[in-house]
Each structure stands twice: as structure tokens, then as C-alpha cells.
Amino acid sequence: MSRSIVLAIQTGASSSDLYRALTTSEGLRAFWTSDADAAADVGGSLRLGFAEAPVDLTMRLAEAVPGEQVRWGNVSPWPTWTGTEVTWSIQDAGESRTVVFAHGGFVDETSDVELGMIATTWAKVLEALDAYATSGIAQPALG
């Protein structure tokens, strides 16, 4: 059994704007970190750099369904994240969208404190995604 983080947010942003933010270097730089590069094709790499991190976060685009879902598999040297997967599901809710975020596959031994700290960071990133996709104004959550 593994542990997961699941978060959700309701947004007025369009499915296409959310998807573009999650799958392009420009989008990732606008809401997540200004040091980001992404390959748009499934199997391509996503690289995110953070000033506080000793090494970049690297993931592989495992699935991309336009306007519906983006899934990344972790290939990073970040020990706690080894073998984890990040999924962004975009669900139409009439005049709004719901973005369901999941980061799963953490080993059972991952402490509640560590999982809680990771969840807090993801909540900031999710809110920044909403703000960018709704307004078009870049304000990366993590620099």
C-alpha cells in the first residue's frame, strides 16, 4: 500500500488554458517556477529548478489528454519522490472546472510531517495554477 496526497480546486479558467499551463514550458514558468522546461510529447521530460533544492526535479510526461488530464511519472533523484506519480485531472463542472490534483505512490514509511509539508507546497502550486489560468498573469508560486 502507498500513501497519496489529493487536493482539488474549483476554477473559472477554461480547460484549454489549464491544460496549456500544465504542458508547456511557458505555462509552468508562469505558475510554478521560472526555471522550467517541458517536452510536450508523452515520454518527454519535465525539468523544474528551485533555488532551495540541491538538484532539479525531473519528471516524465506519462499521459496527456488535452483539456482533461496530465500525468507525470517521477524520475528525479529526490529520494522521497522516487516512484511517485503526479496527476492533474480537469473536470468540467458546467460554467467552471474542477482540477483534482493527486501525488501518489509515497512509501508507507513517509512521515505525516513530510507528507503534510509536501501537501502544503502543492496547495500553493494549485492556487497559482488557478490564478494564472484565470488571469493570464504570471506569478510563479515557487520563484
Side-chain angles (χ1 to χ4, degrees), residues 32-35 47-57 78 142-143:
W32 197 344
T33 176
S34 57
D35 185 10
R47 185 203 56 79
L48 302 158
F50 306 97
E52 312 81 37
V55 296
D56 291 345
L57 172 61
W78 289 13
L142 304 178

Side-chain angles (χ1 to χ4, degrees), residues 40-67:
D41 298 323
V42 171
S45 291
L46 164 71
R47 185 203 56 79
L48 302 158
F50 306 97
E52 312 81 37
V55 296
D56 291 345
L57 172 61
T58 306
M59 292 186 272
R60 180 184 55 81
L61 182 60
E63 180 181 17
V65 180

